[in-house]
Amino acid sequence: MLPGTSTPMTMTMTSTNHESELLAAARGGDEDAFRRLVGPYRAQMHAHCYRMLGSVHDAEDVLQTALLRTWRGLAGFDGRSAFRTWLYRIATNACLDVIRRRPKRVLPIDYGPPSSPTDAAGSPPVVDAWVDPYPDDELQLEDGYAAPEARYEQREAVELAFVAALQHLPPRQRAVLILREVLGFSATEVADALGSTRASVNSALQRARRAVEQRIPERSQQATARSLGDEQVQGLVERFSDALQRGDTAGILAVLAEDVTFSMPPYASWCRGRDAVADSWLMPGGEPAGLRYLPTRANGQPAVAAYKLIPDDHRFVPLALDVLTLRGSSISEVTAFRTPELFGSFGLPSELAA
């Protein structure tokens, strides 16, 4: 072996020893050691809370609660389970506490039947009812699988369809599926975390799998993007955003699937099909120069950030974040989140110069 190199087993042992040292220091009251101890888990834990709750804001709040509980409970950690397992037990139960107190979040397509394309303008927004878009790049969620035993990739498991499907599961089924299939914990670890049994966990997992598979597309957005390649995905998004910016209705419709859906949370109405979308609020109104679009990403999917011109101020301000779902070489869903306050979470500018 070359000097300075390590086998995977050696690296694992070194990492475990380092974690043990940080744990001992944190138990002694060293806050910096605690931050370094939980730091490697933070992005995955935030995504875990988001999957459980469907809300970026709620996920952040619950993550802080879980870390505070972890810090206060260090003296009671007996080491019989891995620190990662214990950490997720605390976070999961903190999420379950929140879920018991509030209604589930969904997407408009799950809220009611399709309606007139222009209904959104006259309908009042429904507060705190919707799944949020997720800034996975900004929060440094890694590619690939969280553990060898996981069934879903980390970014696949924050896709809009997947997160929305999770919200329809009973809370404990939701927790079981995420812990087993996304994070790769064993049935024994999950049973211990939820105060349950292996048999109960395995039964809940089977029911959750069936329910989720009925709601998500056969092919994930990660698989679709890989089959198209980065260049083709980028080209599709550019054609869409360029057509929006020019106010080119025909150009917009050309990149949409025949059965495309369009929704605009926090409004509950949504529509399906090119003809309906042609009359919807997706289509730019007024002068083409009144809108600007920037490419971004959300939920492991391509997205475009829309800015509208404030003529008197000679600047563009945030309007909506359009998360795009692809099927083949077309856009099959546009979910336009009219929540400009989230732009900062995506690293997007607060305004553009006119």
Side-chain angles (χ1 to χ4, degrees):
M1 184 184 298
L2 293 174
T5 62
S6 302
T7 64
M9 181 176 291
T10 302
M11 288 188 290
T12 300
M13 290 175 62
T14 301
S15 175
T16 302
N17 290 338
H18 180 59
E19 184 171 274
S20 297
E21 292 170 1
L22 289 175
L23 179 58
R27 276 175 161 166
D30 188 335
E31 294 184 13
D32 182 62
F34 179 74
R35 281 191 290 270
R36 287 186 288 150
L37 177 65
V38 300
Y41 303 109
R42 190 178 183 94
Q44 280 190 14
M45 285 182 64
H46 193 285
H48 173 59
C49 295
Y50 170 72
R51 295 178 187 112
M52 287 289 295
L53 302 168
S55 163
V56 176
H57 176 74
D58 288 352
E60 185 62 37
D61 284 350
V62 171
L63 178 57
Q64 295 305 318
T65 297
L67 292 176
L68 182 59
R69 290 180 184 177
T70 303
W71 169 252
R72 290 174 174 172
L74 280 176
F77 175 56
D78 56 17
R80 286 186 297 175
S81 63
F83 179 72
R84 174 177 181 260
T85 306
W86 185 63
L87 199 57
Y88 275 97
R89 179 196 307 172
I90 294 171
T92 301
N93 283 287
C95 288
L96 291 172
D97 289 343
V98 171
I99 291 170
R100 294 185 191 104
R101 298 194 300 264
R102 64 139 173 90
K104 68 182 180 183
R105 290 174 179 263
V106 295
L107 291 174
I109 197 170
D110 297 317
Y111 193 79
S115 53
S116 168
T118 56
D119 276 355
S123 61
V126 181
V127 180
D128 295 334
W130 313 116
V131 170
D132 285 339
Y134 192 69
D136 47 301
D137 276 351
E138 287 297 309
L139 294 172
Q140 300 179 340
L141 185 64
E142 295 180 358
D143 292 321
Y145 295 88
E149 298 80 8
R151 183 180 185 186
Y152 296 101
E153 299 173 44
Q154 294 183 83
R155 290 189 193 275
E156 181 181 7
V158 294
E159 291 175 8
L160 271 180
F162 189 88
V163 174
L166 289 174
Q167 308 312 302
H168 291 275
L169 296 177
R172 289 176 72 83
Q173 284 188 30
R174 194 184 313 175
V176 167
L177 187 136
I178 297 169
L179 291 169
R180 293 280 282 120
E181 307 279 60
V182 179
L183 296 169
F185 287 107
S186 69
T188 299
E189 289 172 314
V190 176
D192 184 48
L194 298 177
S196 185
T197 64
R198 281 176 53 92
S200 178
V201 164
N202 288 331
S203 176
L205 178 60
Q206 294 305 316
R207 294 195 300 273
R209 274 180 181 169
R210 288 193 296 270
V212 166
E213 287 171 359
Q214 289 173 358
R215 289 184 172 274
I216 60 175
E218 290 185 7
R219 172 175 274 193
S220 72
Q221 289 300 288
Q222 309 314 298
T224 298
R226 285 192 289 267
S227 68
L228 291 174
D230 291 343
E231 187 174 341
Q232 191 169 350
V233 171
Q234 182 180 346
L236 178 61
V237 174
E238 286 178 353
R239 291 197 301 276
F240 177 68
S241 56
D242 287 349
L244 285 169
Q245 196 157 292
R246 294 194 312 272
D248 178 5
T249 299
I252 297 168
L253 296 176
V255 299
L256 302 180
E258 185 66 37
D259 60 347
V260 63
T261 62
F262 169 69
S263 59
M264 196 169 65
Y267 300 97
S269 62
W270 63 281
C271 58
R272 185 190 301 277
R274 279 191 194 142
D275 290 344
V277 172
D279 293 327
S280 76
W281 288 91
L282 175 64
M283 297 302 158
E287 293 296 324
L291 293 169
R292 290 287 181 272
Y293 294 85
L294 293 181
T296 185
R297 292 188 61 79
N299 295 83
Q301 301 174 215
V304 291
Y307 290 77
K308 65 177 180 180
L309 178 64
I310 306 298
D312 294 341
D313 290 346
H314 304 290
R315 63 193 178 99
F316 289 86
V317 298
L319 175 64
L321 185 72
D322 296 358
V323 181
L324 311 179
T325 298
L326 309 183
R327 187 174 68 233
S329 57
S330 299
I331 297 170
S332 61
E333 294 180 30
V334 181
T335 309
F337 291 93
R338 293 293 292 267
T339 46
E341 62 271 16
L342 291 176
F343 273 45
S345 300
F346 288 82
L348 292 163
S350 58
E351 63 180 57
L352 303 175

